[in-house]
């Protein structure tokens, strides 16, 4: 069963309906002695690869939850780097379906307006413009979304892989 627990141990994501899924990019890079960044989860369905980064500062054991600001330039740069660096892993596995990047973020001051701003800033850092100018028809990215857990779970595609408290599994 493909159920992965996030780093805080409070939530998990159920990928049992996925064609393929992993939370193992970090371990693969570490074992190879590489200092690359990576997304938390990759979920493959029949049509696309979802590269998902998850950050939740609203959990009981979060360290300084009010100091997490997902729209800070440094945070945006780190999150976008995770997307780029994860592409190497997928290329080596021959995973060449269209790719969507989804950032699921929960923060003390997070709301739909903040998530829209984070999405716009992430989109500017991701290879959308580059592939318009250089692409031979192969896209590096199809879409980017920034969502809350509730928005993820209510989405017709993403909701097939629900995020839920570990205590309910």
């Amino acid at each position: 069963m493909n159920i992965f627990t996030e780093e805080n141990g409070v939530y998990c994501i159920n990928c049992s309906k996925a064609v393929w899924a992993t939370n193992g990019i970090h371990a693969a890079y570490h074992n190879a002695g590489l200092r690359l960044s990576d997304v938390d989860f990759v979920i493959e369905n029949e049509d696309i690869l979802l590269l998902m980064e998850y950050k939740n500062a609203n959990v009981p054991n979060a360290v300084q939850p009010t100091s997490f600001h997902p729209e800070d330039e440094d945070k945006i740069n780190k999150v976008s780097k995770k997307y780029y660096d994860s592409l190497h892993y997928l290329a080596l596995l021959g995973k060449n379906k269209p790719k969507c990047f989804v950032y699921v973020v929960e923060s003390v001051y997070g709301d739909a307006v903040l998530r829209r701003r984070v999405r716009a800033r992430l989109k500017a850092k991701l290879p959308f413009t580059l592939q318009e100018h250089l692409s031979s028809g192969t896209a590096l990215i199809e879409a980017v979304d920034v969502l809350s857990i509730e928005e993820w779970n209510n989405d017709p595609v993403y909701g097939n892989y629900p995020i839920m408290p570990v205590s309910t599994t």
Side-chain angles (χ1 to χ4, degrees):
M1 200 127 146
N2 282 335
I3 298 178
F4 305 120
T5 302
E6 51 84 25
E7 66 188 355
N8 296 309
V10 177
Y11 284 89
C12 61
I13 182 167
N14 185 336
C15 298
S16 59
K17 290 184 180 178
V19 170
W20 174 84
T22 189
N23 67 344
I25 299 176
H26 180 78
Y29 286 176
H30 178 77
N31 291 338
L34 300 173
R35 296 182 55 98
L36 296 173
S37 298
D38 56 275
V39 295
D40 292 316
F41 310 104
V42 179
I43 305 163
E44 179 180 7
N45 68 22
E46 295 79 18
D47 304 314
I48 58 174
L49 288 164
L50 302 172
L51 286 80
M52 190 239 241
E53 180 63 17
Y54 173 91
K55 180 67 174 171
N56 192 341
N58 282 342
V59 294
N61 59 344
V63 178
Q64 298 180 329
T66 57
S67 66
F68 174 62
H69 300 283
E71 62 184 321
D72 285 352
E73 186 71 14
D74 185 51
K75 296 282 188 226
I76 297 290
N77 288 337
K78 285 180 180 177
V79 170
S80 63
K81 182 176 178 2
K82 290 178 179 216
Y83 179 82
Y84 284 105
D85 285 0
S86 297
L87 294 177
H88 305 297
Y89 180 90
L90 297 173
L92 289 171
L93 291 180
K95 300 286 185 183
N96 56 9
K97 289 181 180 175
K99 294 161 192 67
C100 296
F101 185 39
V102 185
Y103 185 22
V104 175
V105 62
E106 295 282 348
S107 65
V108 173
Y109 307 112
D111 61 8
V113 173
L114 176 118
R115 288 189 295 277
R116 279 193 300 272
R117 286 194 310 259
V118 170
R119 182 190 176 280
R121 298 204 44 219
L122 267 177
K123 187 172 182 181
K125 301 276 184 185
L126 294 167
F128 291 101
T129 303
L130 180 66
Q131 71 190 16
E132 284 177 23
H133 298 290
L134 296 177
S135 181
S136 62
T138 302
L140 293 173
I141 189 167
E142 297 293 325
V144 60
D145 279 319
V146 178
L147 306 169
S148 67
I149 292 172
E150 180 180 3
E151 290 166 333
W152 169 277
N153 286 339
N154 290 329
D155 185 271
V157 174
Y158 311 144
N160 288 310
Y161 319 103
I163 299 171
M164 62 196 118
V166 168
S167 60
T168 62
T169 58

